[in-house]
Amino acid sequence: MEINEAIKRAKSNDQKAFNFLLHLYWDDVYGFQLKRIQNENDAEDVTIQTFSRAFDRIETFDENYTFKTWLITISKNIHIDLLRKEKNSISQVISNTDKKAFQVLDESPSPEDELITKQHLAKLLRDIKKLKPHYQEIINLRYFQELSYKEISKELNEPMNNVKVKLLRARKLLAEIIQEK
């Protein structure tokens, strides 16, 4: 399949075209993020988010540009957004004695935060149960048992790229279920 044909087919929601583009550009986007983040798990997560966002908005892709450049730009923007969120979660404390700035992360949740977290978790678990069993399993393995993609691949006896695609679909379906409410 040619790249331009795959893009056209992907714009009409052809799953094989999505898979073709994912396999073709995965290493490029993942390698780009690995150089930036220098953490394999975080680079994989950003890469998955990149393809998810790209496939959700593939109809906005302009053929005057290369698809790889478009993906890398999306990936870079996702990483910048994550850095901003991380920076905003850190409060700055200034010492009165030497006027140097320190970054201190307050990790202790308030009792209200704990209650809200428990309520959100219960709701999330109910929403996960609405997914098909194989999607429930892959979400459980990745996010609750915190297995790597490689470990999930061994556990399910499936190729790692299939695991990544299934997880991408499961997250997308779960997001749709959550947004319905």
Side-chain angles (χ1 to χ4, degrees):
M1 185 182 316
E2 186 187 312
I3 295 169
N4 291 334
E5 177 190 347
I7 293 167
K8 285 179 185 169
R9 288 173 54 182
K11 284 183 177 184
S12 58
N13 281 334
D14 182 333
Q15 194 60 48
K16 288 181 182 176
F18 285 135
N19 287 340
F20 173 80
L21 293 169
L22 178 80
H23 291 289
L24 184 64
Y25 291 108
W26 176 269
D27 290 339
D28 294 320
V29 176
Y30 175 73
F32 172 77
Q33 281 303 331
L34 191 57
K35 285 178 187 171
R36 288 175 68 107
I37 299 174
Q38 298 177 348
N39 177 307
E40 291 180 5
N41 287 332
D42 291 344
E44 279 187 6
D45 287 343
V46 171
T47 303
I48 288 172
Q49 289 178 39
T50 299
F51 281 98
S52 177
R53 189 170 297 171
F55 292 159
D56 283 345
R57 299 182 181 149
I58 194 148
E59 68 280 346
T60 65
F61 172 69
D62 183 353
E63 283 84 11
N64 294 325
Y65 301 98
T66 63
F67 193 72
K68 179 179 170 182
T69 304
W70 186 65
L71 284 173
I72 295 294
T73 302
I74 291 171
S75 185
K76 181 179 73 171
N77 290 338
I78 288 172
H79 183 238
I80 290 169
D81 289 346
L82 290 173
L83 290 176
R84 280 189 194 128
K85 285 179 187 174
E86 193 175 287
K87 187 177 180 183
N88 289 339
S89 71
I90 297 174
S91 60
Q92 292 193 354
V93 177
I94 299 176
S95 168
N96 290 334
T97 57
D98 56 8
K99 302 292 183 198
K100 289 183 180 175
F102 297 93
Q103 291 185 331
V104 179
L105 179 61
D106 183 12
E107 294 182 8
S108 58
S110 69
E112 293 85 5
D113 290 337
E114 288 178 6
L115 180 63
I116 290 169
T117 301
K118 286 178 185 173
Q119 289 173 341
H120 285 304
L121 181 59
K123 182 185 175 307
L124 180 62
L125 291 172
R126 284 193 303 270
D127 289 339
I128 289 172
K129 287 182 180 178
K130 294 176 184 175
L131 294 171
K132 291 182 180 176
H134 61 278
Y135 289 139
Q136 290 178 29
E137 180 180 27
I138 202 156
I139 285 181
N140 177 37
L141 292 172
R142 179 68 177 155
Y143 298 107
F144 293 98
Q145 295 183 28
E146 297 182 350
L147 297 181
S148 69
Y149 294 109
K150 192 174 187 177
E151 292 168 328
I152 295 171
S153 177
K154 285 181 183 175
E155 176 85 18
L156 299 178
N157 197 23
E158 289 188 27
M160 193 161 17
N161 279 340
N162 285 9
V163 167
K164 291 173 184 176
V165 170
K166 271 189 182 177
L167 188 60
L168 180 70
R169 289 182 191 150
R171 287 173 41 180
K172 197 171 183 178
L173 290 170
L174 184 58
E176 289 173 7
I177 290 170
I178 290 170
Q179 288 177 348
E180 285 176 1
K181 295 180 179 182

